[in-house]
Amino acid sequence: MVMLGTQFLLLLVSFSAKWVTSTGVGPCPRIKYLDNFNISAFTGHWIEIERSFYLMELISSCVRMDLSQNFKGNINVSITSKSRWSGVFSISEGIATVSKKHPSIFVYKVISTLPKAVSRYLPGAGSYQVIKTDYSTYAVLYSCTNFSFATYPLANTDLVWILGRQKEISAEIRSEIYDFLAFYQIDSERLILAQNLNCN
Ligand SMILES: *[C@@H]1O[C@H](CO)[C@@H](O)[C@H](O)[C@H]1NC(C)=O
Ligand SMILES: *[C@@H]1O[C@H](CO)[C@@H](O)[C@H](O)[C@H]1NC(C)=O
Ligand SMILES: *[C@@H]1O[C@H](CO)[C@@H](O)[C@H](O)[C@H]1NC(C)=O
């Protein structure tokens, strides 16, 4: 019990530290929209490779995402993850609606029937942009929120999510992604490798 308490405290401390580094000064960067984004090529099975920190990190591993286009042209999202504590797999479901701004931007809504205790740690509702993908190997999702004061955005907090069709991506692709993020001054130092061991 005491052990668990200490661990939890450490996790909380590292959480606040990461949270600080994921907050940038000024408004969210404007990332160029992908040309000819092909939604149907983007659907299918994805495996979490790296992510910037969010609370789910505390409890999840083996994150898998399945995307299928529904009859309305939006995307049904099913996210499977394994609890690091109990080893139990759980599924969260949601719908990603194509934004009017651009087909590579999705507004995600959770329609999960999971117990609240679990679902509140999953990536939440919000706007996600596919900022880079080759469809067959990797995809980079980005979500950013401005913190404004009197309508002037003073700071932003963002989330970077690197997905792969396989459990790993090559060093070349990884450095291409990091260069791309650096170009927009998105810090890749804070990206953490996802846990993909013993996932079956
Ligand atoms: C953040 O603020 C900037 C400057 O006002 C604005 O151009 C941009 O659209 C905002 N981004 C988001 C994600 O709200
Ligand atoms: C989009 O992707 C699908 C599935 O990979 C493919 O069949 C289709 O030809 C692509 N469309 C365009 C316009 O490239
Ligand atoms: C998408 O989800 C809706 C309900 O959430 C379901 O009725 C529909 O069959 C699903 N479509 C696909 C293509 O999975």
Side-chain angles (χ1 to χ4, degrees), residues 26-30 101 127 143-148 151-153 155-156:
C28 295
R30 265 177 193 272
K101 273 192 217 158
S127 180
S143 179
C144 185
T145 310
N146 285 328
F147 285 126
S148 302
T151 76
Y152 182 75
N156 70 79

PDB file of all heavy atoms in Angstrom, residues 26-30 101 127 143-148 151-153 155-156, ligand 1:
ATOM      1  N   GLY A  26       2.762  31.396 -26.732  1.00  0.00           N
ATOM      2  CA  GLY A  26       2.103  31.888 -27.942  1.00  0.00           C
ATOM      3  C   GLY A  26       1.049  30.922 -28.450  1.00  0.00           C
ATOM      4  O   GLY A  26       0.795  29.893 -27.831  1.00  0.00           O
ATOM      5  N   PRO A  27       0.445  31.277 -29.577  1.00  0.00           N
ATOM      6  CA  PRO A  27      -0.637  30.437 -30.099  1.00  0.00           C
ATOM      7  C   PRO A  27      -0.141  29.121 -30.696  1.00  0.00           C
ATOM      8  O   PRO A  27       1.054  28.940 -30.931  1.00  0.00           O
ATOM      9  CB  PRO A  27      -1.273  31.317 -31.183  1.00  0.00           C
ATOM     10  CG  PRO A  27      -0.206  32.257 -31.598  1.00  0.00           C
ATOM     11  CD  PRO A  27       0.677  32.466 -30.406  1.00  0.00           C
ATOM     12  N   CYS A  28      -1.065  28.230 -30.944  1.00  0.00           N
ATOM     13  CA  CYS A  28      -0.752  26.950 -31.585  1.00  0.00           C
ATOM     14  C   CYS A  28      -0.097  27.204 -32.938  1.00  0.00           C
ATOM     15  O   CYS A  28      -0.487  28.120 -33.647  1.00  0.00           O
ATOM     16  CB  CYS A  28      -2.039  26.172 -31.844  1.00  0.00           C
ATOM     17  SG  CYS A  28      -2.889  25.669 -30.358  1.00  0.00           S
ATOM     18  N   PRO A  29       0.899  26.375 -33.302  1.00  0.00           N
ATOM     19  CA  PRO A  29       1.493  26.546 -34.636  1.00  0.00           C
ATOM     20  C   PRO A  29       0.459  26.193 -35.700  1.00  0.00           C
ATOM     21  O   PRO A  29      -0.388  25.335 -35.486  1.00  0.00           O
ATOM     22  CB  PRO A  29       2.639  25.531 -34.640  1.00  0.00           C
ATOM     23  CG  PRO A  29       2.298  24.523 -33.600  1.00  0.00           C
ATOM     24  CD  PRO A  29       1.482  25.242 -32.576  1.00  0.00           C
ATOM     25  N   ARG A  30       0.520  26.874 -36.805  1.00  0.00           N
ATOM     26  CA  ARG A  30      -0.360  26.539 -37.925  1.00  0.00           C
ATOM     27  C   ARG A  30       0.370  25.571 -38.815  1.00  0.00           C
ATOM     28  O   ARG A  30       1.344  25.938 -39.473  1.00  0.00           O
ATOM     29  CB  ARG A  30      -0.644  27.799 -38.748  1.00  0.00           C
ATOM     30  CG  ARG A  30      -1.906  28.482 -38.366  1.00  0.00           C
ATOM     31  CD  ARG A  30      -2.036  29.754 -39.206  1.00  0.00           C
ATOM     32  NE  ARG A  30      -3.072  30.587 -38.649  1.00  0.00           N
ATOM     33  CZ  ARG A  30      -4.363  30.480 -38.997  1.00  0.00           C
ATOM     34  NH1 ARG A  30      -4.730  29.601 -39.902  1.00  0.00           N
ATOM     35  NH2 ARG A  30      -5.255  31.250 -38.439  1.00  0.00           N
ATOM     36  N   LYS A 101     -13.154  22.490 -41.944  1.00  0.00           N
ATOM     37  CA  LYS A 101     -11.926  23.225 -42.299  1.00  0.00           C
ATOM     38  C   LYS A 101     -11.086  22.478 -43.315  1.00  0.00           C
ATOM     39  O   LYS A 101     -10.570  23.054 -44.255  1.00  0.00           O
ATOM     40  CB  LYS A 101     -11.065  23.428 -41.042  1.00  0.00           C
ATOM     41  CG  LYS A 101     -11.419  24.660 -40.269  1.00  0.00           C
ATOM     42  CD  LYS A 101     -10.329  24.928 -39.232  1.00  0.00           C
ATOM     43  CE  LYS A 101     -10.919  25.451 -37.958  1.00  0.00           C
ATOM     44  NZ  LYS A 101     -10.032  25.234 -36.804  1.00  0.00           N
ATOM     45  N   SER A 127     -10.051  18.164 -31.201  1.00  0.00           N
ATOM     46  CA  SER A 127      -9.788  18.280 -32.614  1.00  0.00           C
ATOM     47  C   SER A 127      -8.384  17.740 -32.900  1.00  0.00           C
ATOM     48  O   SER A 127      -7.421  18.137 -32.242  1.00  0.00           O
ATOM     49  CB  SER A 127      -9.902  19.764 -32.959  1.00  0.00           C
ATOM     50  OG  SER A 127      -9.658  19.962 -34.292  1.00  0.00           O
ATOM     51  N   SER A 143      -2.847  17.626 -31.842  1.00  0.00           N
ATOM     52  CA  SER A 143      -3.989  18.336 -31.286  1.00  0.00           C
ATOM     53  C   SER A 143      -3.444  19.488 -30.462  1.00  0.00           C
ATOM     54  O   SER A 143      -2.482  19.313 -29.713  1.00  0.00           O
ATOM     55  CB  SER A 143      -4.792  17.381 -30.399  1.00  0.00           C
ATOM     56  OG  SER A 143      -5.872  18.056 -29.840  1.00  0.00           O
ATOM     57  N   CYS A 144      -4.016  20.655 -30.616  1.00  0.00           N
ATOM     58  CA  CYS A 144      -3.472  21.803 -29.889  1.00  0.00           C
ATOM     59  C   CYS A 144      -4.588  22.730 -29.434  1.00  0.00           C
ATOM     60  O   CYS A 144      -5.572  22.931 -30.141  1.00  0.00           O
ATOM     61  CB  CYS A 144      -2.501  22.572 -30.788  1.00  0.00           C
ATOM     62  SG  CYS A 144      -1.654  23.919 -29.942  1.00  0.00           S
ATOM     63  N   THR A 145      -4.436  23.259 -28.242  1.00  0.00           N
ATOM     64  CA  THR A 145      -5.420  24.178 -27.689  1.00  0.00           C
ATOM     65  C   THR A 145      -4.737  25.465 -27.260  1.00  0.00           C
ATOM     66  O   THR A 145      -3.707  25.426 -26.588  1.00  0.00           O
ATOM     67  CB  THR A 145      -6.096  23.548 -26.438  1.00  0.00           C
ATOM     68  OG1 THR A 145      -6.534  22.238 -26.783  1.00  0.00           O
ATOM     69  CG2 THR A 145      -7.269  24.376 -25.981  1.00  0.00           C
ATOM     70  N   ASN A 146      -5.300  26.588 -27.673  1.00  0.00           N
ATOM     71  CA  ASN A 146      -4.794  27.893 -27.230  1.00  0.00           C
ATOM     72  C   ASN A 146      -5.289  28.192 -25.828  1.00  0.00           C
ATOM     73  O   ASN A 146      -6.425  27.882 -25.498  1.00  0.00           O
ATOM     74  CB  ASN A 146      -5.367  29.015 -28.121  1.00  0.00           C
ATOM     75  CG  ASN A 146      -4.710  29.074 -29.492  1.00  0.00           C
ATOM     76  OD1 ASN A 146      -3.540  28.761 -29.653  1.00  0.00           O
ATOM     77  ND2 ASN A 146      -5.482  29.511 -30.479  1.00  0.00           N
ATOM     78  N   PHE A 147      -4.438  28.810 -25.030  1.00  0.00           N
ATOM     79  CA  PHE A 147      -4.903  29.417 -23.781  1.00  0.00           C
ATOM     80  C   PHE A 147      -4.929  30.912 -24.021  1.00  0.00           C
ATOM     81  O   PHE A 147      -3.885  31.517 -24.249  1.00  0.00           O
ATOM     82  CB  PHE A 147      -3.939  29.129 -22.629  1.00  0.00           C
ATOM     83  CG  PHE A 147      -4.044  27.716 -22.126  1.00  0.00           C
ATOM     84  CD1 PHE A 147      -2.931  26.916 -22.053  1.00  0.00           C
ATOM     85  CD2 PHE A 147      -5.277  27.214 -21.715  1.00  0.00           C
ATOM     86  CE1 PHE A 147      -3.028  25.619 -21.580  1.00  0.00           C
ATOM     87  CE2 PHE A 147      -5.378  25.924 -21.243  1.00  0.00           C
ATOM     88  CZ  PHE A 147      -4.250  25.126 -21.177  1.00  0.00           C
ATOM     89  N   SER A 148      -6.091  31.479 -24.005  1.00  0.00           N
ATOM     90  CA  SER A 148      -6.174  32.895 -24.353  1.00  0.00           C
ATOM     91  C   SER A 148      -6.476  33.760 -23.145  1.00  0.00           C
ATOM     92  O   SER A 148      -7.101  33.324 -22.182  1.00  0.00           O
ATOM     93  CB  SER A 148      -7.271  33.109 -25.391  1.00  0.00           C
ATOM     94  OG  SER A 148      -6.999  32.326 -26.529  1.00  0.00           O
ATOM     95  N   THR A 151      -9.013  37.180 -25.421  1.00  0.00           N
ATOM     96  CA  THR A 151      -8.951  36.712 -26.810  1.00  0.00           C
ATOM     97  C   THR A 151      -7.539  36.670 -27.404  1.00  0.00           C
ATOM     98  O   THR A 151      -7.361  36.312 -28.561  1.00  0.00           O
ATOM     99  CB  THR A 151      -9.878  37.498 -27.773  1.00  0.00           C
ATOM    100  OG1 THR A 151      -9.290  38.763 -28.063  1.00  0.00           O
ATOM    101  CG2 THR A 151     -11.276  37.672 -27.206  1.00  0.00           C
ATOM    102  N   TYR A 152      -6.529  37.043 -26.643  1.00  0.00           N
ATOM    103  CA  TYR A 152      -5.173  36.956 -27.171  1.00  0.00           C
ATOM    104  C   TYR A 152      -4.530  35.651 -26.696  1.00  0.00           C
ATOM    105  O   TYR A 152      -4.372  35.435 -25.496  1.00  0.00           O
ATOM    106  CB  TYR A 152      -4.336  38.161 -26.720  1.00  0.00           C
ATOM    107  CG  TYR A 152      -2.948  38.105 -27.292  1.00  0.00           C
ATOM    108  CD1 TYR A 152      -2.716  38.415 -28.629  1.00  0.00           C
ATOM    109  CD2 TYR A 152      -1.872  37.701 -26.506  1.00  0.00           C
ATOM    110  CE1 TYR A 152      -1.445  38.319 -29.166  1.00  0.00           C
ATOM    111  CE2 TYR A 152      -0.599  37.612 -27.041  1.00  0.00           C
ATOM    112  CZ  TYR A 152      -0.397  37.920 -28.365  1.00  0.00           C
ATOM    113  OH  TYR A 152       0.853  37.817 -28.898  1.00  0.00           O
ATOM    114  N   PRO A 153      -4.169  34.736 -27.624  1.00  0.00           N
ATOM    115  CA  PRO A 153      -3.597  33.462 -27.189  1.00  0.00           C
ATOM    116  C   PRO A 153      -2.188  33.629 -26.626  1.00  0.00           C
ATOM    117  O   PRO A 153      -1.259  33.994 -27.329  1.00  0.00           O
ATOM    118  CB  PRO A 153      -3.594  32.621 -28.461  1.00  0.00           C
ATOM    119  CG  PRO A 153      -3.727  33.561 -29.592  1.00  0.00           C
ATOM    120  CD  PRO A 153      -4.303  34.839 -29.086  1.00  0.00           C
ATOM    121  N   ALA A 155      -0.613  31.173 -24.684  1.00  0.00           N
ATOM    122  CA  ALA A 155       0.113  29.921 -24.595  1.00  0.00           C
ATOM    123  C   ALA A 155      -0.708  28.833 -25.253  1.00  0.00           C
ATOM    124  O   ALA A 155      -1.860  29.049 -25.610  1.00  0.00           O
ATOM    125  CB  ALA A 155       0.361  29.571 -23.134  1.00  0.00           C
ATOM    126  N   ASN A 156      -0.095  27.688 -25.439  1.00  0.00           N
ATOM    127  CA  ASN A 156      -0.834  26.572 -26.005  1.00  0.00           C
ATOM    128  C   ASN A 156      -0.387  25.275 -25.361  1.00  0.00           C
ATOM    129  O   ASN A 156       0.711  25.185 -24.830  1.00  0.00           O
ATOM    130  CB  ASN A 156      -0.639  26.507 -27.524  1.00  0.00           C
ATOM    131  CG  ASN A 156       0.768  26.097 -27.904  1.00  0.00           C
ATOM    132  OD1 ASN A 156       1.121  24.927 -27.861  1.00  0.00           O
ATOM    133  ND2 ASN A 156       1.600  27.078 -28.253  1.00  0.00           N
TER     134      ASN A 156
HETATM  135  C1  LIG B   1      -4.887  29.811 -31.818  1.00  0.00           C
HETATM  136  O1  LIG B   1      -4.801  31.207 -31.910  1.00  0.00           O
HETATM  137  C2  LIG B   1      -4.349  31.669 -33.203  1.00  0.00           C
HETATM  138  C3  LIG B   1      -4.143  33.171 -33.128  1.00  0.00           C
HETATM  139  O2  LIG B   1      -5.287  33.806 -32.648  1.00  0.00           O
HETATM  140  C4  LIG B   1      -5.384  31.275 -34.249  1.00  0.00           C
HETATM  141  O3  LIG B   1      -4.957  31.714 -35.525  1.00  0.00           O
HETATM  142  C5  LIG B   1      -5.514  29.763 -34.258  1.00  0.00           C
HETATM  143  O4  LIG B   1      -6.521  29.367 -35.161  1.00  0.00           O
HETATM  144  C6  LIG B   1      -5.856  29.240 -32.873  1.00  0.00           C
HETATM  145  N1  LIG B   1      -5.727  27.806 -32.917  1.00  0.00           N
HETATM  146  C7  LIG B   1      -6.605  26.980 -32.335  1.00  0.00           C
HETATM  147  C8  LIG B   1      -6.327  25.527 -32.459  1.00  0.00           C
HETATM  148  O5  LIG B   1      -7.560  27.382 -31.703  1.00  0.00           O
END
